[in-house]
Amino acid sequence: MSIRRGPTLRTSRHYRPPIGRMSIQPRNDNNNDDEEERVGLTETVSASNRHSEKFETIDDWQQGDETFGDILMHPIQEQHKSRATRWSMNRQQQQSSNSDPSSQDIHYTVVLHFRQLRGNQRFVLDHDAANDFCKRLNFTQQERIQFNGVHDTDGLTEFLYKIKREFSIKIHHKIELLRSGDHQHQHHHHHEDSHIIEFNENFYVEFKVKHIHHHKALPVEATRRPFFQHPEPDLSADIGQEKAASWLELFYDLFYVATLTQFTHSHHIKDQESSFLYTQWFVITWWAWLASSLYTSRFDTDDVVHHIYKLVEMCAVIGMAGSSEYFLNSSGYVYGYIALKAVLAIEYFVVFVIAILAKSKSRMALLFYVGANILSIALWASSLSILEKSTHRILWYLGVLCEVLVNVIVRGDKTLSWAASHLAERLGLLSLIVLGENLIGLVTLVSEAGNYLIVIIPNFMAVVIIFGFFFMYFEDFNKEIFLHNKYHQVWVYLHFPLHLFQVAFGISLIDILKIYRFQLIRDHKLSADEADNSSESHAEPNTTAHDAPSATPTQQEEESAHHKAKRAIHQVFGQNNMDNSYNPMQLMHEQQEYNGISLDSESTATNAFTSWTAWCTYFATTIVTGTMQVLHGGSYVDEESTTAHQLDRRSAPSDSSTDTMTVTEIAFVYKTFLIFAGIILVLNSLIKALNTKISDMYGKIIIGSRILNACILWSLCALPFAKLDAIVLLCTLLGSLVFQALIDLLD
């Protein structure tokens, strides 16, 4: 027998054999003393080598869950910690191999459950329950004695804090008990390995078994992102599985956010023509997003090839956004949409090939998807030859219609079921994006409105209105609608008009706030100079040395008084043409010439007297108006108002070009504000109706109240808008949404 050289019993300094673990043969008094000594030495040396090897592995660095940051900050501590962890793991392995598994200690997580929120509550435990409680928490004899004196919940929590036992407290809501049927002695959502000890009718303690998981380090090949991984052609086995949007999908949605923001802020909806133009663009953009999201939510494999597909789509969306200003006659816009459809055609073709190889029933439906995308590409490419004509839009929307019809035709195929996707979650995220677009326009307006209370309050009202629509939609949102409703495609397509009118309503809301600000200036409730100064201070907060110095308050008062005196002279003498260069003498001569008075020598005295009267009137008016303006803190404003006013363009700063809005356009904004709000209420009621049972009384009340609110808003369109202030519409819609929110809480 060969003997491995190593430390012996006498010479080893690193190892002292434990008692009872050596299998040394007793020495016999015979002729084989040397042989017996050799055998005993062999076994001893072998055991010594085994234990020495274990401790040598402990001395080595054992890589665990530590990171480079831990090693750089605390290198020595992490090394000792790694050795201790390795030694503890070896010891646990030895104990588990030599001991009975049933005799091992079980560690618990303690949870104190209160069925209802009450004050201090007394309890009485019998001997068996108290002994079980102490045993599971490994109480010492002294702790058992202290626990015998605990008779209420406050004392129990204080006792557990004192002996340093970790525990958590959970208070159940009444609605949770009603849903689970747990009124007094039933327990809900507990693991089968958990142990329950009842203390009284409202309080019980749950012991959750701690499972110590040792995660095995996977090889790099198992964690590396695959270059290509074929998608599943049959999704029937994935129906009902919980899925979530990936980071790539969320990042992809940001490109549509940017596109929506850019187009919305550069196209002002002020008449039917601009509304129709915006609708044409929104149809194409919304469907491009939905078609891509429908594929990704069903067949995403998260491999490198799929990331490349998404990268190409992002570039195509940016190309379409760059041409959206004149999208009806832009070849770049057409090429961008063709690129989106080409990527989808390739993706569906790959799934189609896999379905053929796997002989899946989905191959025919996948062939329809491939054919619809190819047909759409052909129609859009054909429109390039007639791009200068308005008929090319017919080819565009025929392509979109073909893609929609494919989804309708294959809706009954479970192998491509929408219930195996997370498209409902994606639509909810898109709804947030649309509501965020409304907030972007509101924040831009608020940043230029100033800090006047009379302006801030309507801005807060606009925030409440946007929040009301958010609450109305997500109060009824259900990601599992694809599982329980066979009309889930109708639910999806209802989001198109909902998103369209939500964006259009946001534009009308911003216009209403601008009209309200103009009306404040018109009604002398807000100074035009103050409004201009507040917008300029936000638009140009910093001035350089080359900028013109700002006017002092005294200069502003003199200038304002000058304009008031100038207007008074014009009113006295009937002169309506006000130019920038004002001279009372020049004005008087022009007035005399206008009245046919000759300037001969006989009327010189009269002319001089009249001229001096004009000058005196001018100076007196200037002094009086200037003094009153100082006394009233500059609250007097210019009384000039016209039927037309300037509303800043949504995408332009305050110093850029503005769009003139007439009284007719103001009435159009008023009507669209009310009509769009009513349509959003009706669409939300239809979305809720698809998922509401006929026997649900509260659901029917909510749906009926939304439709009634919409009819009331539409009836307001008959009001004489020429004499109506914008604040009236804001208050009306705010009250309507608050009332609707209170009714929605019934469900």
Side-chain angles (χ1 to χ4, degrees), residues 283-512:
V283 168
I284 300 172
T285 304
W286 189 87
W287 176 251
W289 176 88
L290 182 66
S292 176
S293 300
L294 181 59
Y295 173 86
T296 304
S297 60
R298 291 188 293 180
F299 301 107
D300 180 16
T301 55
D302 201 29
D303 54 9
V304 176
V305 173
H306 182 74
H307 281 67
I308 295 175
Y309 288 151
K310 284 298 174 184
L311 179 59
V312 175
E313 290 185 14
M314 293 173 190
C315 295
V317 172
I318 291 298
M320 294 175 65
S323 305
S324 60
E325 187 73 22
Y326 43 93
F327 73 99
L328 290 177
N329 303 107
S330 173
S331 59
Y333 189 82
V334 176
Y335 287 129
Y337 190 84
I338 290 176
L340 289 176
K341 298 296 107 177
V343 171
L344 276 179
I346 294 173
E347 289 176 329
Y348 277 116
F349 181 75
V350 172
V351 184
F352 171 68
V353 172
I354 296 172
I356 293 177
L357 297 177
K359 297 182 179 180
S360 174
K361 295 181 180 179
S362 62
R363 55 183 180 271
M364 185 58 64
L366 290 170
L367 181 61
F368 285 157
Y369 276 108
V370 175
N373 283 279
I374 293 177
L375 180 60
S376 180
I377 293 174
L379 291 173
W380 278 72
S382 301
S383 67
L384 291 172
S385 59
I386 55 174
L387 200 59
E388 300 299 329
K389 301 179 181 179
S390 60
T391 55
H392 71 279
R393 287 174 287 184
I394 299 177
L395 299 178
W396 289 5
Y397 297 110
L398 281 177
V400 174
L401 181 61
C402 292
E403 300 176 53
V404 175
L405 289 177
V406 169
N407 291 309
V408 177
I409 293 173
V410 302
R411 65 183 183 277
D413 193 346
K414 291 186 177 181
T415 58
L416 299 181
S417 174
W418 290 16
S421 67
H422 54 275
L423 183 62
E425 181 184 4
R426 295 294 303 279
L427 284 169
L429 295 174
L430 184 61
S431 300
L432 285 178
I433 291 173
V434 172
L435 291 171
E437 167 57 31
N438 295 340
L439 288 177
I440 291 175
L442 177 61
V443 171
T444 304
L445 180 65
V446 170
S447 64
E448 301 177 356
N451 298 323
Y452 304 103
L453 184 62
I454 197 172
V455 178
I456 292 177
I457 292 178
N459 293 336
F460 289 163
M461 294 170 63
V463 174
V464 176
I465 289 173
I466 296 175
F467 179 82
F469 286 124
F470 160 82
F471 181 79
M472 185 187 306
Y473 174 80
F474 285 98
E475 181 70 10
D476 304 327
F477 186 78
N478 184 10
K479 294 193 297 184
E480 298 179 356
I481 189 173
F482 290 170
L483 293 174
H484 311 300
N485 198 317
K486 60 182 179 180
Y487 301 108
H488 56 267
Q489 285 199 13
V490 179
W491 182 85
V492 171
Y493 294 135
L494 279 175
H495 282 74
F496 164 71
L498 176 65
H499 294 159
L500 173 62
F501 288 109
Q502 189 70 61
V503 173
F505 172 79
I507 298 174
S508 299
L509 178 61
I510 302 305
D511 290 341
I512 287 289

Side-chain angles (χ1 to χ4, degrees), residues 1 3 23-25 33-45:
M1 179 181 292
I3 301 176
S23 59
I24 302 178
Q25 298 289 340
D33 292 344
D34 295 339
E35 184 177 357
E36 292 175 359
E37 180 70 17
R38 180 182 178 185
V39 172
L41 181 61
T42 302
E43 294 182 357
T44 303
V45 171

Side-chain angles (χ1 to χ4, degrees), residues 636-647:
Y636 278 63
V637 296
D638 198 331
E639 296 179 357
E640 296 178 4
S641 61
T642 57
T643 56
H645 64 281
Q646 302 291 332
L647 291 180

Side-chain angles (χ1 to χ4, degrees), residues 688 698-706 740 743-744 746-747:
K688 182 176 179 60
Y698 291 117
K700 291 186 288 187
I701 292 175
I702 293 173
I703 295 172
S705 64
R706 291 178 181 178
Q740 186 61 53
I743 298 179
D744 289 346
L746 295 175
D747 192 3

Side-chain angles (χ1 to χ4, degrees), residues 117-137:
L117 181 60
R118 297 178 183 176
N120 188 21
Q121 306 165 46
R122 296 187 61 83
F123 57 81
V124 178
L125 288 179
D126 56 15
H127 180 269
D128 294 337
N131 188 33
D132 187 15
F133 185 84
C134 296
K135 183 179 179 181
R136 292 182 182 276
L137 289 179

